[in-house]
Amino acid sequence: MGQCRRAKKYALNLVEGILVEHYGVKQGWIEGCRRIIGLDGCFLKGVCKGELLCAIGRDANDKIYPIAWEVISVENKQNWKWLLELLIDDINLNLGNGFSLMSDQHKAVKELLPYVEHRCPSISHGNFFQAGRYCDAVENGFSESFNVVIVDAKKKPIITMLEELRLYMMDRMYNMKLKGQQWGNHICPEIRDKVNLLKKMQRHYHVLPSGLNQFEVRRVADAYEVDLERKTCSCRLWQLNGYRCADSVASISYLNRDVEAYVDNMFSTTTFRKAYNYIIAPMNGSDMWPETNY
């Protein structure tokens, strides 16, 4: 049993790199990504059949951040628990308090992470907020996005596929780091575009001040309470996404204040650069790899 587990853990090291070789991916997620992880699996399309299980996060620019992946023969509770056990150990998930997971593997998640906020993609939840893990999504789209990226790699032999995934991550970490260095000290471009869209919508809203930072914002037959000091809106979207709703943007603009100043620091370029502040080191070709007992 112990030998089997060691063999499995060694195999996972080769598969995802995060546990040993690619320390930077793990550390980048810990330092610069939201505390939300999407778990999903996809079938391999090559001669060697099986499945690829993936753990995907989101960076400050609302883009995917691949954390870990593993090759398995079949998708079941035992293999999902294996991946979760190693994630818990390597990215300090503990019992799940302060983290959110999006997956249809409800039993495996709750057994190992009893305090995690768990969302099943097939169920729409009304609230998905806690400091550091803003997410208003009701589907596991960021995991599906990664599956699209690796669609060609899944058709190749396992070692070749794993090498392509490693090279993809090495290239991605480098290019994202270059982008982050060009953005300056502001909020990330993707978030700025969303905020600008909200600014365009605010012309349809009527703002009625109640206090220095409290407002009633009306639109047609609807009305919502906005508190700029507490950074809340009764529509709850501000609390969910962390970068505003149209009601709060209308209230901030009413006071002629900078809307971007109210965006959570989680979406800043400073946070983004922390996620990509590390590298995946280059390695020699397979002809120079040391032999192992596995």
Side-chain angles (χ1 to χ4, degrees):
M1 187 69 174
Q3 184 178 0
C4 180
R5 173 156 179 87
R6 286 195 297 273
K8 279 188 172 184
K9 188 159 187 175
Y10 177 82
L12 188 57
N13 290 343
L14 290 178
V15 172
E16 60 177 278
I18 179 177
L19 300 177
V20 177
E21 294 85 359
H22 305 331
Y23 168 83
V25 177
K26 175 185 72 174
Q27 202 63 24
W29 184 86
I30 292 174
E31 296 182 14
C33 290
R34 284 175 273 175
R35 294 299 177 256
I36 174 173
I37 300 173
L39 302 175
D40 198 11
C42 59
F43 290 100
L44 302 182
K45 303 298 183 181
V47 176
C48 300
K49 303 303 180 183
E51 293 189 51
L52 187 72
L53 302 186
C54 306
I56 311 296
R58 284 195 179 185
D59 63 23
N61 196 39
D62 208 28
K63 300 299 183 182
I64 66 170
Y65 190 93
I67 305 169
W69 53 91
E70 67 177 11
V71 174
I72 58 171
S73 58
V74 62
E75 183 177 353
N76 55 31
K77 181 180 177 181
Q78 180 181 0
N79 283 329
W80 273 113
K81 285 180 64 177
W82 170 38
L83 175 60
L84 286 170
E85 286 169 354
L86 296 174
L87 282 176
I88 291 169
D89 182 50
D90 280 271
I91 58 177
N92 306 319
L93 294 180
N94 298 316
L95 295 177
N97 187 35
F99 297 90
S100 298
L101 285 178
M102 185 175 289
S103 168
D104 57 3
Q105 301 298 319
H106 180 79
K107 292 183 179 179
V109 170
K110 283 303 181 181
E111 183 175 329
L112 297 175
L113 298 164
Y115 300 123
V116 78
E117 185 175 16
H118 181 257
R119 169 176 289 194
C120 179
S122 61
I123 302 175
S124 176
H125 294 250
N127 199 334
F128 203 35
F129 161 76
Q130 185 170 337
R133 48 173 162 153
Y134 298 106
C135 182
D136 53 359
V138 295
E139 79 291 325
N140 200 2
F142 48 127
S143 294
E144 294 296 334
S145 297
F146 181 66
N147 289 338
V148 173
V149 169
I150 64 175
V151 64
D152 291 330
K154 292 186 297 183
K155 301 175 183 178
K156 300 179 180 180
I158 290 180
I159 296 298
T160 304
M161 177 190 70
L162 300 182
E163 276 297 274
E164 288 204 5
L165 295 184
R166 182 184 64 84
L167 294 174
Y168 162 76
M169 283 302 300
M170 184 168 66
D171 180 70
R172 189 176 190 276
M173 295 287 285
Y174 170 75
N175 284 290
M176 288 296 183
K177 184 174 184 177
L178 290 183
K179 286 184 178 180
Q181 292 174 342
Q182 300 170 3
W183 290 343
N185 296 319
H186 307 286
I187 64 173
C188 293
E190 190 75 19
I191 305 304
R192 174 174 287 114
D193 290 342
K194 294 181 179 182
V195 170
N196 288 337
L197 181 61
L198 292 174
K199 289 180 180 179
K200 294 180 181 179
M201 297 171 58
Q202 69 172 332
R203 64 179 181 271
H204 303 295
Y205 293 68
H206 181 51
V207 180
L208 300 171
S210 174
L212 294 178
N213 289 288
Q214 292 77 37
F215 303 87
E216 178 180 320
V217 182
R218 307 190 65 85
R219 46 178 173 174
V220 190
D222 299 326
Y224 295 96
E225 301 174 20
V226 175
D227 191 320
L228 298 184
E229 185 174 350
R230 296 170 56 194
K231 296 184 178 181
T232 61
C233 177
S234 58
C235 77
R236 295 199 300 171
L237 185 57
W238 189 354
Q239 295 94 297
L240 280 171
N241 62 32
Y243 57 80
R244 297 310 128 263
C245 60
D247 308 294
S248 61
V249 168
S251 301
I252 296 168
S253 299
Y254 179 86
L255 297 176
N256 293 318
R257 295 176 181 173
D258 182 11
V259 175
E260 292 190 10
Y262 284 81
V263 174
D264 192 272
N265 188 58
M266 175 58 65
F267 302 102
S268 69
T269 54
T270 301
T271 302
F272 179 88
R273 287 193 287 266
K274 289 180 181 178
Y276 299 101
N277 190 40
Y278 299 88
I279 68 169
I280 294 180
M283 62 182 293
N284 296 318
S286 58
D287 60 324
M288 299 181 66
W289 291 357
E291 293 186 5
T292 74
N293 295 324
Y294 304 103

